[in-house]
Amino acid sequence: MSFAAKDIKVYREDEKAGHRKIGVKEREKLVQNYLPDPPSRSRSRSRKRKHETSHFGIRKFLKSQLYSFMYIFVHAIFSVYIRIRIAYHAVSLRVLSILKYHHNTPDYVRRDVSTLKRLPKHVSVILTLEDGGRAGDALEKLVNEASEVAAWCAAAGIPRLSIYERTGVLKRYMPQTHRALVQKLKSWFGKRQGPPVSLSTRGASTIYTANREYLAHDQVPLEVVLISEDDGREAMVDLTKVLVQMVQKEKISASDITLDVLDNELSEAVMPEPDLLISFEPYVDLQGYPPWPIRLTEIYCAPDNQGVGYQVFLRGLRKYTEATFKLGK
């Protein structure tokens, strides 16, 4: 709304006179003509009543019911999918366990891997101590699983196997573990035909088989390495301390410490990098596996799998055969 010229003239003259020419009431009357109309109380009340009605009314109830229905529907669909997937994997693994059972015979394992184009030279597996070792037979079951995997590798002609167990309990029972490995290989290959097996770990002496010099022409010696969570962080910390001391004593310069040097030192201290890492858990759970040795490792796990099984091991070998490794320039 534009101001009238007469009103502007009166206001300007009053302003020049120090607002003493016209009174307060006349000044308010002058401005009142240009102010907007105040909102009526009935309109504000109706608007408030409408807001309260929409806030607690049927529309919000229907909206909440729709959201609840969508939530339940999505969860139901996902639950049905999970159950079907678990059933499918369970049936397929069961069928494979019947068709591809090794019968504790190396010839069956060799037959299964004979169709593969290539085999890994170093296989690593992740085993779990059941119930954290609180169960009475947990350690015995763990040693038996390690022996089974060692027998599969020996039968397939894989020369190196590394076994990761997070707590490192197998390291504390190295003689017993080595004895179990030897007994398992004897039950598979015969008393005098089993390949020699060596057992080693970081910071301990390697245990060898007594008859390792008697090796048949078609047998490959099996090297088993035990690793745990301590072989990741602690190994890198120990190596860092050694290199710092060597630099301080001027035995080497800081420029001599390269990635190749670190890789070689960690490989000698812990183990070389595995070609294939198999997890027998239903999902990929590395459980603190040392990160440095698995930069280029093919990792495999069978969804919805429970327990250590030969079928998962065989599928892992097939996955490695189908994998494409692009190392770059």
Side-chain angles (χ1 to χ4, degrees), residues 181-324:
L181 294 176
V182 173
Q183 292 297 328
K184 179 63 68 173
L185 293 180
K186 285 183 179 180
S187 66
W188 272 63
F189 292 88
K191 189 174 182 180
R192 298 186 178 277
Q193 298 178 359
V197 56
S198 62
L199 185 64
S200 62
T201 187
R202 185 175 68 94
S205 301
T206 304
I207 302 177
Y208 295 96
T209 304
N211 62 340
R212 64 180 185 272
E213 64 273 6
Y214 302 104
L215 184 64
H217 67 281
D218 58 343
Q219 288 183 345
V220 178
L222 179 62
E223 178 185 354
V224 180
V225 182
L226 301 179
I227 55 177
S228 65
E229 190 176 19
D230 297 337
D231 294 319
R233 184 183 306 171
E234 290 189 6
M236 298 185 73
V237 170
D238 294 341
L239 177 60
T240 303
K241 291 180 179 179
V242 172
L243 293 176
V244 169
Q245 292 175 359
M246 295 179 68
V247 171
Q248 290 176 347
K249 295 178 181 180
E250 298 182 352
K251 293 184 178 180
I252 61 174
S253 62
S255 60
D256 295 333
I257 303 176
T258 61
L259 288 177
D260 293 335
V261 172
L262 295 176
D263 190 22
N264 294 331
E265 293 295 332
L266 288 174
S267 297
E268 293 180 2
V270 182
M271 65 174 185
E273 186 171 4
D275 302 315
L276 173 64
L277 173 62
I278 300 177
S279 174
F280 294 98
E281 298 294 324
Y283 50 88
V284 178
D285 184 11
L286 299 181
Q287 303 180 18
Y289 195 99
W292 187 272
I294 55 173
R295 297 168 300 160
L296 304 174
T297 300
E298 182 71 20
I299 301 176
Y300 174 78
C301 83
D304 306 317
N305 175 66
Q306 298 292 337
V308 179
Y310 173 70
Q311 295 74 29
V312 178
F313 175 79
L314 188 60
R315 281 185 173 184
L317 296 181
R318 290 176 179 171
K319 179 66 179 279
Y320 175 80
T321 302
E322 299 169 356
T324 302

Side-chain angles (χ1 to χ4, degrees), residues 129 135-147 170 180:
L129 184 64
D137 59 342
L139 179 59
E140 182 180 356
K141 181 180 179 181
L142 179 65
V143 173
N144 184 61
E145 290 174 349
S147 303
L170 290 177

Side-chain angles (χ1 to χ4, degrees), residues 60-73:
K60 185 177 180 182
F61 173 76
L62 294 177
K63 188 183 294 185
S64 63
Q65 294 299 314
L66 176 62
Y67 291 158
S68 300
F69 172 76
M70 292 177 63
Y71 177 81
I72 296 174
F73 178 75

